[in-house]
Every structure is written in C-alpha cells, then in structure tokens.
Amino acid sequence: MNEKLRRQVERLEKELARSKAALEVMGKASALLEMISEGAD
C-alpha cells in the first residue's frame, strides 16, 4: 500500500472512532433522559 493511501486510511479510522464515541455518548445521554423523564411522573 502506498504512503498516501495509508495516511488516508489512518485518518478515516480516527474519524470513525470519534463518530462511534460520539454516538455512544448520545445513546447514553438519551437513555439517561428517558430514565429521568420516567421518574418525573
């Protein structure tokens, strides 16, 4: 694999990892909000 392509793949992997982390955080936040709103009844 040439150098340019390898750098591109590395960058994409980092971006993907960041996106996955962000999705996880949003999922936890929404679960937490659901718990809070259910407890408010």
Side-chain angles (χ1 to χ4, degrees):
M1 213 195 283
N2 72 14
E3 192 58 37
K4 190 180 172 189
L5 199 55
R6 196 159 50 230
R7 277 201 305 267
Q8 217 172 355
V9 168
E10 264 177 45
R11 199 187 69 231
L12 287 172
E13 282 174 350
K14 280 184 193 141
E15 281 178 27
L16 187 62
R18 264 205 306 271
S19 301
K20 280 163 78 174
L23 279 174
E24 250 177 66
V25 168
M26 285 193 295
K28 285 178 184 152
S30 97
L32 196 60
L33 284 172
E34 269 179 41
M35 279 167 52
I36 291 169
S37 66
E38 280 170 17
D41 284 346

